[in-house]
Each structure stands twice: as C-alpha cells, then as structure tokens.
Amino acid sequence: MEYVDFSHVPELEDALLIGSFAGWNDAATAGTWAIRFLMNQWKTEELATIDAEPFFDYTESRPRVRITNGSIRRVTWPSIVLHAGKAPIGPERQPRDVVLLSADEPQLRWKSFTRALMEVSARCNVTELALLGALVGEVAHTSPVKILGTSSEQAVLRRMDRAGVERATYEGPTGILTVVHDAARHAGIATSSLWGMAPHYVSATPNLPVAQALLDKLNTLYRLDLKLSDLTRAARRFTQRVSTLVAADPAVSAYVRQLEERTPEDESSGMPLAGDVSGVRGIPPGGELPTPEEAVKDVEEWLRQFRDDTGHDS
C-alpha cells in the first residue's frame, strides 16, 4: 500500500476512526489534545504510519532537534501515526475497535493523502469516522462552549440536535478536516465532524473547556462511556483562572461583558476569525493534563497585546 506502513496486520471489525489535525483546523489545540486524552484513556498501540515526506513542506512544519552538551542527540521529523485500541461502548461496556489519528495538517498533495487515509480505513474495516476540530470566535470564556456539527448521516444529525450540537453553516476556505470528511463520505463511510468554538482572546493551549466539550459531545453521540470527571474539573479550574486574569484588567473585563451580553443573532455563524492559532507543540507529549496555571500561561501576554492594540494603559 503506497505511503502506508502497518506495524502489524490489522484485525479490526466495525471500527470507529476518530481524528484531528493540528493547525488551521484546530484552534488552541483542543481537538488534537482531545485525541491524546483518548489515547491515555484507552489502551492503544501503534497501528500504522503514513509517510510524511510527500505531504509536508519542511520549511513550514520543521523537524525538531535535541542538542545536549554540544552534540546532536535526535532529529524528530513530522509524522502521521495511527493508533488502534478498544473502547467500551454503552451501558454494557461492550468493546468496539477504534483507530485514533492525531497529526499536523499536511501542506501538500491533499488528494493523495486522503486516498491513503481511505485505503487505511478500508484495510481496518472502518465503518464510521468522527473528526474533531476547533475554531476561534467572538465568544466569552464564561459561556457554555458552542459545538458545531456536520454529518453525512441524517440519523447522526438528529442525534446532534438532541445533544445540543448546532448544525454548521459555512461557505469559504477550508482545511484538511473537511477534505477528509468529503472523501470518506464518497467512500461510503458514515462521517461526522464536531467543531468547538474557542474564545479568540484566550491564547493558552490547550483550551481545556473546548477539549472537554468536544469529548462530551463525542461521548454522547457514539456512546463511548468516557470518564471525563477529571477533565471537567480541570476545565472548570482553567475557566476560573482565566476569569481571575480578566477581572484584573478593566478593559478586558468590559470586552468580555460585551460578549456575554450578545444575543444568538449577534453571534458569528461559525466562520474562523483567524487561521492557524494552534501552537501544536504545546500539546503534552503523553497527553497528560496540565495544571490550570500551565494551560493559561499565554493569557498574560494576550492581555498586554490587547492593551497595546486598543490604546488602554495598564
């Protein structure tokens, strides 16, 4: 199989592939971090790699180097790795085969890349595909996280309605997430996407409330029996910490109050306010939860930038 190297021969049935791509598709790394969370919660192992060389511009996604005491110890190249495991489903906790994908968004040859991913899906008997993404918008961090959804299946759209997922409406530039969604739809795979709305003024990564909201809706739609209590508490601490920082600045506090007072008719229909805001390298390598202080370490810098942009003095 061109571009694909399997670690072992997959023996999967009725598999659910859950994926996210860092970069333009994933504000504040909420989606890709959510995949890391799933890798930690389920026992997964490496299933396959897709050769990154044809699909990445290394001047955009540069390799990483580790130098110790004057010696180069390691050069790490961008990679596209899929992991496989089993997830308990429903109240009976019946196991279901899952495939997890978390990678940077490729810069090159998207059609070839999606064909390779569809070949992997066929080889692994993937029957459903769930994609996670995030975008930035003019929303308050104190408001419930809005989740937008798309699906190739009317039954899933109805489940989204019941779960409080707003059906997305959008026309304009798009990313690899949508291209993969469309390719899977044409391949006959039931495909859905969930997009979380992240406040544009909170630059800290990962945005735990958005990641938690994505996983909560994913859990509801696919009956995954996820254990989210620890993440929910961490997301709550994240929000409290941001509120503390915002309260200390009158200009920012006034701006957030304006966002809180907006009506649904005032809100954006979901169009991103910016492109790549992900900072993918902020994802903890093992997916461990950061402390609230670590997760909001960039907020103070944004507050300074906000004052500079608006002319407010500190």
Side-chain angles (χ1 to χ4, degrees):
M1 188 179 295
E2 190 177 14
Y3 306 128
V4 181
D5 180 24
F6 280 95
S7 304
H8 59 276
V9 178
E11 296 181 358
L12 308 178
E13 295 182 3
D14 186 31
L16 169 65
L17 192 158
I18 307 172
S20 186
F21 293 88
W24 194 90
N25 308 268
D26 191 26
T29 69
T32 41
W33 191 87
I35 300 297
R36 298 284 185 176
F37 180 93
L38 295 176
M39 288 181 185
N40 273 4
Q41 184 147 126
W42 300 327
K43 185 178 181 181
T44 62
E45 60 180 358
E46 183 175 313
L47 172 67
T49 59
I50 298 177
D51 183 10
E53 181 82 18
F55 306 117
F56 283 91
D57 176 353
Y58 291 137
T59 65
E60 295 291 332
S61 296
R62 292 184 179 273
R64 305 277 292 179
V65 65
R66 188 177 73 178
I67 300 175
T68 304
N69 197 28
S71 298
I72 294 178
R73 299 298 184 186
R74 178 185 301 170
V75 175
T76 304
W77 294 86
S79 61
I80 306 169
V81 183
L82 297 100
H83 292 77
K86 290 188 179 293
I89 303 293
E92 300 84 11
R93 297 181 58 83
Q94 295 296 317
R96 182 179 184 181
D97 290 324
V98 291
V99 178
L100 300 178
L101 169 63
S102 177
D104 287 7
E105 180 183 53
Q107 289 95 24
L108 307 171
R109 304 178 68 184
W110 282 11
K111 292 181 179 180
S112 296
F113 172 78
T114 53
R115 280 196 297 269
L117 186 56
M118 291 306 102
E119 290 174 358
V120 172
S121 299
R123 180 78 176 273
C124 295
N125 293 313
V126 170
T127 58
E128 289 188 280
L129 177 61
L131 299 169
L132 304 180
L135 48 86
V136 291
E138 291 183 312
V139 294
H141 72 281
T142 52
S143 301
V145 176
K146 177 187 288 189
I147 302 295
L148 307 173
T150 63
S151 180
S152 64
E153 308 298 306
Q154 287 299 316
V156 177
L157 286 172
R158 289 191 291 271
R159 294 208 303 269
M160 287 183 178
D161 292 340
R162 292 192 295 270
V165 176
E166 181 178 321
R167 297 192 186 192
T169 300
Y170 171 71
E171 182 176 348
T174 193
I176 192 67
L177 214 66
T178 305
V179 174
V180 169
H181 184 127
D182 189 58
R185 178 175 63 89
H186 283 97
I189 300 173
T191 306
S192 301
S193 301
L194 295 172
W195 295 80
M197 291 284 286
H200 73 95
Y201 59 89
V202 180
S203 59
T205 60
N207 189 306
L208 298 185
V210 179
Q212 188 274 337
L214 284 169
L215 288 168
D216 181 67
K217 299 305 184 186
L218 182 76
N219 196 34
T220 299
L221 293 174
Y222 293 94
R223 303 175 70 236
L224 294 177
D225 196 31
L226 293 175
K227 306 304 180 187
L228 299 177
S229 56
D230 288 345
L231 177 56
T232 300
R233 284 191 290 270
R236 190 178 300 118
R237 294 197 302 271
F238 180 102
T239 299
Q240 291 170 347
R241 176 64 174 148
V242 174
S243 293
T244 299
L245 292 167
V246 167
D249 190 291
V252 180
S253 296
Y255 176 70
V256 172
R257 283 195 298 273
Q258 291 177 8
L259 294 179
E260 292 172 336
E261 293 168 359
R262 297 180 72 183
T263 66
E265 291 74 20
D266 296 330
E267 294 178 356
S268 167
S269 62
M271 180 178 294
L273 295 180
D276 181 358
V277 294
S278 68
V280 64
R281 312 232 180 258
I283 298 176
E288 57 269 65
L289 292 176
T291 67
E293 289 73 20
E294 291 170 334
V296 298
K297 63 184 178 180
D298 293 334
V299 175
E300 292 91 339
E301 176 58 33
W302 179 84
L303 294 174
R304 288 192 291 270
Q305 185 63 46
F306 181 90
R307 287 192 291 268
D308 291 344
D309 292 343
T310 59
H312 291 283
D313 295 328
S314 55

